[in-house]
Amino acid sequence: KAGVTQTPRYLIKTRGQQVTLSCSPISGHRSVSWYQQTPGQGLQFLFEYFSETQRNKGNFPGRFSGRQFSNSRSEMNVSTLELGDSALYLCASSLGRREGNNTEAFFGQGTRLTVV
Amino acid sequence: AQSVTQPDIHITVSEGASLELRCNYSYGATPYLFWYVQSPGQGLQLLLKYFSGDTLVQGIKGFEAEFKRSQSSFNLRKPSVHWSDAAEYFCAVGARAGNTPLVFGKGTRLSVIA
C-alpha cells in the first residue's frame, strides 16, 4: 500500500507570493491533517480535513487555507508569503472515523518551503 | 489543555548502549500515546503506539515504551542503540475519541557515537 505522498518536496518562493502544496493520503484514509514544523516552534497543527470538510483548525492566520477533494487528496495554500513561513510542511493521513476511537496518523515526507 | 513535555533536547549515547527517552503528558483523560522518529529532511515515521491493554508496547526497530498512568509518562527505550538510530524523536498524545488533533512534544535529538 502506498504511503502518504506530498508534492513538491522543495519550494523556493519570494515574499508576497502564494504557494499551493499537495498531499495524497493513504488509500482508504479520509482524514488529512497539516502541520508546520520549524526549529523554534516544533510541530504546530494547521488544520484537518475529513470528507471534504474542515474539522479542526489551529491557531494560524487566514493566509493559511486548505481544502480536500472527493478522493481525499488535500491541498494547502499560503497567500502573501512571509519570511517566517519558511518551514517543513507535513501532511498526515488517518482513517479519521466520524465517531468512536481515533487511529494513528501516518506522515508524508513533507514539503520544504523556503521564502526569500 | 493537553501538552507533552520531552525534557531532554539532545541526548548522546554510545553505540551498543541502552537508551531511554522521556515523555510526560498532561491530559484530561487517558489518552492515546505515540512515538515518532524523524530523520533529517524526512517526514515522521510511527515507531509505536499505546491505545489500551498491556502498558508495555513493542514497536519497530527494537523500540519499546511503557505507559505509566500514575506518572503521566510514556518513556521510550531500546536495549542496544545502533548508529542508524540517530534521529529526532517525538512523543505525541491524542484523544481516544472525537476529532482533536495530535499534540506533539518539542522532540529529543539523539546522537550516537562509536
Side-chain angles (χ1 to χ4, degrees):
Chain A
K1 191 184 258 191
V4 180
T5 303
Q6 290 189 246
T7 56
R9 288 293 310 278
Y10 303 93
L11 266 178
I12 300 176
K13 290 287 188 178
T14 304
R15 269 183 303 174
Q17 286 186 312
Q18 73 158 16
V19 67
T20 300
L21 313 181
S22 179
C23 172
S24 293
I26 292 170
S27 177
H29 284 195
R30 297 164 66 188
S31 169
V32 173
S33 298
W34 289 89
Y35 292 82
Q36 181 195 66
Q37 185 179 27
T38 58
Q41 299 298 317
L43 280 151
Q44 294 187 285
F45 172 75
L46 281 155
F47 28 65
E48 184 219 357
Y49 286 86
F50 177 82
S51 291
E52 302 179 65
T53 301
Q54 188 179 86
R55 195 160 67 169
N56 274 300
K57 189 178 190 306
N59 190 25
F60 276 81
R63 299 185 297 108
F64 292 81
S65 63
R67 59 177 175 168
Q68 187 180 34
F69 302 94
S70 58
N71 61 358
S72 294
R73 189 177 70 85
S74 177
E75 287 181 348
M76 188 192 106
N77 185 274
V78 188
S79 63
T80 320
L81 284 165
E82 301 176 359
L83 294 178
D85 297 333
S86 295
L88 181 66
Y89 290 88
L90 291 164
C91 164
S93 91
S94 64
L95 286 170
R97 298 187 182 98
R98 288 186 187 278
E99 299 173 354
N101 294 339
N102 286 319
T103 59
E104 61 264 47
F106 297 88
F107 284 79
Q109 298 281 64
T111 294
R112 170 73 62 186
L113 172 64
T114 302
V115 182
V116 297
Chain B
Q2 310 95 301
S3 67
V4 177
T5 301
Q6 294 180 246
D8 304 304
I9 295 173
H10 184 206
I11 285 181
T12 300
V13 300
S14 299
E15 192 169 15
S18 63
L19 170 71
E20 182 169 26
L21 302 182
R22 296 182 289 164
C23 172
N24 292 96
Y25 66 89
S26 173
Y27 207 76
T30 303
Y32 286 162
L33 294 158
F34 308 88
W35 274 99
Y36 287 87
V37 61
Q38 184 180 37
S39 297
Q42 302 298 311
L44 276 68
Q45 180 183 22
L46 181 65
L47 277 177
L48 49 76
K49 59 186 183 283
Y50 172 75
F51 283 174
S52 64
D54 192 348
T55 55
L56 183 64
V57 293
Q58 303 297 321
I60 62 171
K61 305 184 181 187
F63 285 92
E64 65 178 27
E66 186 171 13
F67 169 57
K68 292 186 177 180
R69 184 193 309 271
S70 62
Q71 298 176 21
S72 296
S73 70
F74 189 57
N75 294 348
L76 181 71
R77 300 193 295 249
K78 186 169 185 178
S80 177
V81 169
H82 187 262
W83 64 266
S84 61
D85 293 324
E88 186 130 24
Y89 292 80
F90 293 91
C91 180
V93 62
R96 287 181 168 269
N99 307 319
T100 54
L102 291 176
V103 175
F104 285 85
K106 294 288 190 185
T108 297
R109 185 161 63 92
L110 173 66
S111 297
V112 181
I113 57 175

